[in-house]
Amino acid sequence: MHTIDPLIAVVDDESPMRTMLGRVLRLADYRVSAYESGEDFLASLDTQRPACVILDIHMPGLSGFEVQMRMQAADIRVPVVFITASDDAALARLAIEANGSCLLRKPFSSDELLEAIRRHGSTLTKG
Protein backbone atom coordinates (compact mmCIF):
# COMPACT_ATOMS: atom_id res chain seq x y z
CA MET A 1 0.00 0.00 0.00
CA HIS A 2 1.39 3.38 -0.98
CA THR A 3 0.86 6.33 1.30
CA ILE A 4 1.04 9.93 0.21
CA ASP A 5 4.04 11.94 1.36
CA PRO A 6 3.11 14.66 3.87
CA LEU A 7 2.56 18.20 2.58
CA ILE A 8 4.76 20.93 4.02
CA ALA A 9 3.80 24.57 3.41
CA VAL A 10 6.69 27.02 3.04
CA VAL A 11 5.72 30.65 3.61
CA ASP A 12 8.54 33.15 2.96
CA ASP A 13 8.62 36.38 0.97
CA GLU A 14 12.12 35.65 -0.37
CA SER A 15 12.05 33.58 -3.56
CA PRO A 16 15.57 32.06 -3.10
CA MET A 17 14.60 30.88 0.40
CA ARG A 18 11.37 29.29 -0.86
CA THR A 19 13.31 27.55 -3.63
CA MET A 20 16.02 26.25 -1.30
CA LEU A 21 13.55 25.03 1.33
CA GLY A 22 11.43 23.36 -1.35
CA ARG A 23 14.44 21.46 -2.72
CA VAL A 24 15.54 20.27 0.72
CA LEU A 25 12.05 19.10 1.63
CA ARG A 26 11.42 17.35 -1.71
CA LEU A 27 14.75 15.52 -1.40
CA ALA A 28 13.50 14.31 2.00
CA ASP A 29 10.33 12.97 0.33
CA TYR A 30 7.92 15.67 1.41
CA ARG A 31 5.42 17.33 -0.89
CA VAL A 32 5.80 21.13 -0.83
CA SER A 33 3.52 24.09 -1.44
CA ALA A 34 5.33 27.44 -1.38
CA TYR A 35 3.78 30.85 -0.76
CA GLU A 36 5.30 34.32 -0.97
CA SER A 37 2.89 35.84 1.54
CA GLY A 38 0.87 34.96 4.55
CA GLU A 39 -2.25 36.07 2.74
CA ASP A 40 -1.63 33.61 -0.13
CA PHE A 41 -1.00 30.79 2.33
CA LEU A 42 -4.15 31.50 4.36
CA ALA A 43 -6.23 31.56 1.16
CA SER A 44 -4.87 28.11 0.24
CA LEU A 45 -6.24 26.57 3.43
CA ASP A 46 -9.71 26.42 1.86
CA THR A 47 -8.47 23.71 -0.52
CA GLN A 48 -5.60 21.95 1.26
CA ARG A 49 -4.18 21.47 4.74
CA PRO A 50 -0.46 21.01 5.25
CA ALA A 51 0.95 18.62 7.81
CA CYS A 52 3.45 21.30 8.89
CA VAL A 53 4.16 24.96 8.08
CA ILE A 54 7.58 26.58 7.71
CA LEU A 55 6.69 30.21 8.41
CA ASP A 56 8.92 33.27 8.11
CA ILE A 57 8.31 35.78 10.87
CA HIS A 58 9.18 39.01 9.02
CA MET A 59 7.23 39.45 5.78
CA PRO A 60 5.46 42.36 4.11
CA GLY A 61 1.74 42.33 4.86
CA LEU A 62 0.95 39.74 7.51
CA SER A 63 3.83 38.70 9.74
CA GLY A 64 4.37 35.04 10.57
CA PHE A 65 2.93 35.67 14.02
CA GLU A 66 -0.20 37.23 12.50
CA VAL A 67 -0.60 34.24 10.15
CA GLN A 68 -0.33 31.87 13.11
CA MET A 69 -2.92 33.88 15.08
CA ARG A 70 -5.34 33.69 12.14
CA MET A 71 -4.79 29.94 11.86
CA GLN A 72 -5.56 29.55 15.56
CA ALA A 73 -8.67 31.72 15.25
CA ALA A 74 -9.86 29.43 12.44
CA ASP A 75 -9.06 26.37 14.62
CA ILE A 76 -6.37 25.18 12.19
CA ARG A 77 -3.87 23.30 14.31
CA VAL A 78 -0.74 22.20 12.50
CA PRO A 79 2.87 22.32 13.69
CA VAL A 80 4.58 25.61 12.80
CA VAL A 81 8.33 26.01 12.50
CA PHE A 82 9.04 29.73 12.57
CA ILE A 83 12.11 30.97 10.68
CA THR A 84 13.84 34.35 10.88
CA ALA A 85 17.02 36.17 9.94
CA SER A 86 16.68 38.36 13.04
CA ASP A 87 18.93 37.87 16.05
CA ASP A 88 16.37 39.43 18.41
CA ALA A 89 16.51 37.24 21.53
CA ALA A 90 12.83 37.90 22.31
CA LEU A 91 11.66 36.17 19.13
CA ALA A 92 12.15 32.67 20.55
CA ARG A 93 9.84 33.50 23.46
CA LEU A 94 7.33 35.14 21.11
CA ALA A 95 7.39 32.10 18.81
CA ILE A 96 6.53 29.79 21.70
CA GLU A 97 3.82 32.17 22.96
CA ALA A 98 2.33 32.11 19.44
CA ASN A 99 2.13 28.31 19.75
CA GLY A 100 4.91 27.76 17.27
CA SER A 101 6.72 24.46 17.54
CA CYS A 102 10.16 26.05 17.36
CA LEU A 103 12.23 28.87 15.92
CA LEU A 104 15.12 28.45 13.48
CA ARG A 105 17.44 31.36 12.80
CA LYS A 106 18.72 31.87 9.26
CA PRO A 107 21.06 30.58 8.11
CA PHE A 108 20.19 27.11 9.35
CA SER A 109 21.29 23.80 7.92
CA SER A 110 19.14 21.33 6.02
CA ASP A 111 19.66 18.89 8.88
CA GLU A 112 18.38 21.44 11.43
CA LEU A 113 15.26 22.04 9.33
CA LEU A 114 14.51 18.36 8.85
CA GLU A 115 15.12 17.63 12.54
CA ALA A 116 12.72 20.43 13.54
CA ILE A 117 10.04 18.99 11.26
CA ARG A 118 10.59 15.45 12.55
CA ARG A 119 10.67 16.51 16.18
CA HIS A 120 7.79 18.98 16.17
CA GLY A 121 5.69 17.58 13.35
CA SER A 122 5.17 14.32 15.23
CA THR A 123 1.96 13.63 13.34
CA LEU A 124 3.86 13.40 10.05
CA THR A 125 4.09 10.00 8.46
CA LYS A 126 5.83 9.23 5.24
CA GLY A 127 5.30 6.30 2.94
Side-chain angles (χ1 to χ4, degrees):
M1 180 174 148
H2 184 284
T3 58
I4 297 173
D5 296 331
L7 176 65
I8 307 292
V10 174
V11 187
D12 195 304
D13 60 306
E14 298 176 13
S15 179
M17 182 59 74
R18 287 192 311 273
T19 300
M20 182 276 298
L21 292 172
R23 285 182 183 149
V24 167
L25 294 168
R26 285 183 189 95
L27 285 171
D29 294 324
Y30 292 106
R31 292 180 302 131
V32 177
S33 290
Y35 305 92
E36 66 180 313
S37 73
E39 293 88 350
D40 289 346
F41 167 66
L42 290 171
S44 78
L45 295 175
D46 290 336
T47 58
Q48 65 181 5
R49 291 289 165 93
C52 183
V53 181
I54 310 302
L55 185 56
D56 190 20
I57 291 175
H58 298 290
M59 297 183 288
L62 294 176
S63 73
F65 292 138
E66 291 169 318
V67 170
Q68 172 68 346
M69 286 189 307
R70 290 189 184 193
M71 288 172 51
Q72 287 179 322
D75 201 29
I76 298 169
R77 309 272 185 233
V78 297
V80 173
V81 176
F82 284 110
I83 60 175
T84 185
S86 173
D87 61 359
D88 182 346
L91 287 179
R93 178 182 50 79
L94 293 172
I96 298 304
E97 288 174 0
N99 288 326
S101 299
C102 71
L103 172 70
L104 294 177
R105 294 185 190 280
K106 300 173 188 176
F108 48 83
S109 71
S110 299
D111 289 340
E112 288 173 304
L113 174 67
L114 295 173
E115 178 59 26
I117 291 169
R118 286 184 196 109
R119 186 171 1 117
H120 299 290
S122 60
T123 60
L124 298 180
T125 57
K126 298 191 318 186

